[in-house]
Amino acid sequence: MPDIFTSNITPIKTQGSDFVHPIREATPLLVGKIVFALILPIIVYIFILISSLQLASLFSFNEDWSLGFTIFLGGLTIIQMLLVLLIILQWKNHVFYLTEDYIQENKGILTRTEKMYELKNVRDISVRQGILGRIWNFGDIIVESTAPGEFHEV
């Protein structure tokens, strides 16, 4: 099975004989989300700037509009930085732990959600990768339970 998730965390020895292997979302996906969060607002900035310059040429505005526009762009920049911080915190706080007996999913920033999947109830594990996933070695792991119709995409 291909190594589609990166984990730079070493396995942790628990109280029993199980080793815990933490698994996180692949780093290329994190970088892609951050780049998207940075590029999309820049496109919006350019559109707003062009629109405001066209409006300024049509109407005779005084110089006060440039101060308001600067404050507006500063506010959008702060929102953009908060969005990138939220993406990083979501990545850092969504971890799967794999042991000999179960898969444990922990996620959440302000509230914590923990799910346990016993490996004895796992019916099938499959891997789905697109073209970019094959190139950059990432994809989805789909875990199907023995309960009818129950599956979880990791």
Side-chain angles (χ1 to χ4, degrees), residues 20-83:
V20 177
H21 299 278
I23 302 170
R24 281 205 169 90
E25 185 179 48
T27 308
L29 293 177
L30 172 68
V31 171
K33 289 177 184 178
I34 291 173
V35 167
F36 181 75
L38 292 174
I39 288 178
L40 184 64
I42 289 173
I43 293 170
V44 171
Y45 293 165
I46 291 171
F47 177 75
I48 291 172
L49 181 63
I50 291 172
S51 299
S52 65
L53 290 176
Q54 286 177 348
L55 284 175
S57 68
L58 291 176
F59 302 103
S60 60
F61 289 124
N62 56 13
E63 295 300 319
D64 292 340
W65 76 272
S66 64
L67 176 65
F69 185 70
T70 304
I71 292 172
F72 174 72
L73 284 181
L76 283 180
T77 303
I78 291 171
I79 290 171
Q80 182 181 18
M81 290 168 41
L82 290 174
L83 181 62

Side-chain angles (χ1 to χ4, degrees), residues 14-153:
T14 60
Q15 292 176 354
S17 62
D18 288 349
F19 279 99
V20 177
H21 299 278
I23 302 170
R24 281 205 169 90
E25 185 179 48
T27 308
L29 293 177
L30 172 68
V31 171
K33 289 177 184 178
I34 291 173
V35 167
F36 181 75
L38 292 174
I39 288 178
L40 184 64
I42 289 173
I43 293 170
V44 171
Y45 293 165
I46 291 171
F47 177 75
I48 291 172
L49 181 63
I50 291 172
S51 299
S52 65
L53 290 176
Q54 286 177 348
L55 284 175
S57 68
L58 291 176
F59 302 103
S60 60
F61 289 124
N62 56 13
E63 295 300 319
D64 292 340
W65 76 272
S66 64
L67 176 65
F69 185 70
T70 304
I71 292 172
F72 174 72
L73 284 181
L76 283 180
T77 303
I78 291 171
I79 290 171
Q80 182 181 18
M81 290 168 41
L82 290 174
L83 181 62
V84 169
L85 180 65
L86 177 67
I87 289 170
I88 292 170
L89 285 175
Q90 283 179 338
W91 176 80
K92 178 129 179 74
N93 290 308
H94 191 193
V95 182
F96 292 90
Y97 295 102
L98 177 63
T99 68
E100 294 176 359
D101 300 324
Y102 61 89
I103 299 172
Q104 177 181 342
E105 177 186 14
N106 292 343
K107 67 179 178 178
I109 297 173
L110 297 178
T111 60
R112 201 78 179 138
T113 303
E114 181 177 300
K115 294 181 183 177
M116 301 283 282
Y117 306 97
E118 290 187 57
L119 291 180
K120 68 180 181 181
N121 295 332
V122 172
R123 181 180 60 187
D124 187 34
I125 297 176
S126 56
V127 176
R128 183 175 56 203
Q129 285 182 301
I131 293 173
L132 293 177
R134 302 264 319 194
I135 294 170
W136 288 314
N137 202 21
F138 69 88
D140 296 324
I141 299 174
I142 302 162
V143 179
E144 292 186 39
S145 174
T146 55
E150 188 175 315
F151 69 93
H152 184 74
E153 194 168 308

